Amino acid sequence: MATTVKIAVENNNPVVAIQGFLRGLLENDSLGGVVVPVHLFDKGLPMPTLVTDHDQLSGADPLAPAFPMNSAKLLSRLTRGQSGERIAVVMRPCEIRAFVELVKLNQGSLDDVIIVGMDCMGAYNNTDYKAFVDGRDAFEATLAFQGQHGGTIETAINGVDIAPACRSCEFPAPTNADIVIGLAGADLHTAIPVVADSARGEALLNGLGLPDMEASGREAVLESLIKVRTEHRDAMIEATQAVTGTLTDLSEYLSNCVNCYNCRVACPVCYCKECVFNTDVFEHKPWQYMGWAKRKGSLKLPTDTIFYHLTRMAHMSMACVGCGQCSNACPNDIPVMELFRTVAARTQKSFDYVPGRSLEESPPLSVFKEDEFQDTVSHMA
């Protein structure tokens, strides 16, 4: 049975308790740094930050309901090659799953990384997080969220709801982590359970000398949360299918796209060094634009928006972890996440593949299986 210890919470402040836990990890001689969301300059969104001085963990706020970016791509940069030191990284479940996919694509390594996963109660998109904080101290806002929402299956608080991606995420518990901070079902005003989920994680926890802790009802809360989120996911997919079933419908769905490519940049598993849409292939000549316009009488500019999204779906649907950063980064509020999750649900089901589920599962499109999809092949013969 995995070792479970507790972080004692004093003065009803789980944020300070987590900061203390991270200081303990950082003081371990085997670790050179900790990557954790930090409020820089005492304001704004908590951004992923590589901290090497434990005194600077006073700004750390991994419990904040904010998710400005998926840190999997950042961790990829920190682990491609040897830094000479091991680091711990605090991540949401979707961030861990995305990083696992990057590792399988040789875009990162787990060799010198201790992953600290946290149960995810959800987060606001960037704009709504600012509205939720609404001039308050950021840490006070975090405590308010955890007090009203943490450990429950509620969503909206004071008229502000967590992001659609979070409401439809059926993976609130981290997998493939070395250490798991079990927020679900915990009384965060008294103690926070921490579980060792690997031999490396157990060695680190044992070194902290924290007292053992009994189970906190975490599994029951996670089960209820998954049920609610799965129902929301299914309803979202059904609604999205209804409005994107034809090319005309899809064109209308994506009509506000301005080809900024923010969704591509924000996607944690989109890693190509050079995107085809930034090459000469899509540098059209003036006479081509005129020809296309005359053929139809008009031509929407910029061009190739539908082709861009179809290409991204073809490339990324198998690896999509549903983190929602594509929608979070869209300047025109196009529900890109809903579209990608709808497509990904079908492709991933076809291959019985869950991105980030296991390091041992190869990405389906990277493996040839001679007898695969015989029903489809026989119909085509």
Side-chain angles (χ1 to χ4, degrees):
M1 184 175 179
T3 299
T4 302
V5 298
K6 69 177 178 180
I7 303 170
V9 177
E10 298 179 359
N11 301 319
N12 293 323
N13 197 323
V15 174
V16 172
I18 294 289
Q19 290 173 355
F21 172 73
L22 295 177
R23 286 191 185 93
L25 289 181
L26 191 53
E27 288 169 358
N28 188 290
D29 291 337
S30 69
L31 292 179
V34 174
V35 177
V36 61
V38 173
H39 290 289
L40 302 172
F41 313 109
D42 297 323
K43 61 181 180 181
L45 291 160
M47 299 298 293
T49 305
L50 174 58
V51 181
T52 58
D53 180 352
H54 62 78
D55 288 337
Q56 295 194 32
L57 285 169
S58 59
D61 193 7
L63 297 181
F67 192 22
M69 62 189 305
N70 190 310
S71 65
K73 189 175 286 188
L74 299 178
L75 185 55
S76 171
R77 297 175 188 171
L78 291 173
T79 60
R80 282 203 307 265
Q82 300 297 319
S83 70
E85 297 189 67
R86 191 165 62 158
I87 59 174
V89 187
V90 182
M91 305 179 85
R92 295 177 182 272
C94 60
E95 294 179 291
I96 301 173
R97 293 172 58 225
F99 185 64
V100 167
E101 288 302 296
L102 289 174
V103 170
K104 289 192 284 187
L105 294 165
N106 298 317
Q107 298 301 307
S109 172
L110 285 163
D111 292 344
D112 294 320
V113 174
I114 296 294
I115 293 184
V116 180
M118 301 181 65
D119 291 339
C120 185
M121 300 299 108
Y124 302 109
N125 64 36
N126 292 350
T127 302
D128 287 342
Y129 175 72
K130 293 176 183 176
F132 171 72
V133 174
D134 191 27
R136 291 180 291 178
D137 175 80
F139 292 105
E140 291 180 0
T142 295
L143 294 176
F145 177 85
Q146 294 299 340
Q148 298 179 61
H149 178 79
T152 75
I153 58 174
E154 300 298 325
T155 54
I157 298 175
N158 297 333
V160 183
D161 212 339
I162 58 176
C166 297
R167 296 201 302 272
S168 55
C169 174
E170 70 273 41
F171 299 102
T175 56
N176 295 305
D178 297 292
I179 295 172
V180 174
I181 299 177
L183 301 179
D187 181 0
L188 302 184
H189 299 293
T190 58
I192 303 171
V194 184
V195 182
D197 226 19
S198 74
R200 298 190 304 177
E202 186 155 16
L204 276 174
L205 282 189
N206 288 340
L208 295 178
L210 296 172
D212 291 342
M213 184 175 183
E214 298 295 327
S216 61
R218 175 173 176 252
E219 295 302 325
V221 172
L222 287 173
E223 184 178 345
S224 297
L225 190 60
I226 291 169
K227 181 177 184 295
V228 169
R229 289 184 175 182
T230 300
E231 290 173 354
H232 190 281
R233 178 206 64 191
D234 293 344
M236 178 198 73
I237 290 174
E238 183 178 355
T240 304
Q241 287 175 331
V243 295
T244 58
T246 68
L247 187 57
T248 300
D249 289 340
L250 185 61
S251 298
E252 182 176 351
Y253 190 89
L254 297 169
S255 60
N256 291 330
C257 178
V258 294
N259 279 14
C260 68
Y261 303 147
N262 282 6
C263 54
R264 181 195 69 194
V265 175
C267 178
V269 288
C270 192
Y271 66 89
C272 290
K273 300 297 182 294
E274 183 178 38
C275 177
V276 64
F277 287 92
N278 286 343
T279 66
D280 292 343
V281 173
F282 291 93
E283 286 294 328
H284 306 306
K285 304 300 182 183
W287 59 265
Q288 290 178 297
Y289 290 114
M290 290 301 298
W292 293 328
K294 287 184 176 180
R295 189 181 310 161
K296 294 185 176 182
S298 64
L299 176 67
K300 176 189 175 293
L301 298 174
T303 58
D304 304 314
T305 54
I306 302 298
F307 192 25
Y308 162 71
H309 288 284
L310 289 175
T311 301
R312 259 189 47 80
M313 281 187 275
H315 285 180
M316 308 312 305
S317 66
M318 201 63 67
C320 176
V321 297
C323 68
Q325 288 301 323
C326 48
S327 287
N328 198 25
C330 180
N332 289 338
D333 296 325
I334 300 171
V336 194
M337 179 280 298
E338 287 84 342
L339 179 62
F340 266 77
R341 283 229 62 189
T342 296
V343 174
R346 297 187 65 177
T347 57
Q348 292 170 11
K349 181 179 179 180
S350 297
F351 289 90
D352 186 27
Y353 185 73
V354 178
R357 176 171 56 189
S358 170
L359 279 164
E360 308 306 318
E361 292 182 280
S362 298
L365 299 183
S366 69
V367 179
F368 172 73
K369 297 180 181 179
E370 186 174 355
D371 296 326
E372 198 169 38
F373 294 117
Q374 286 301 301
D375 291 342
T376 303
V377 174
S378 63
H379 286 306
M380 296 176 64

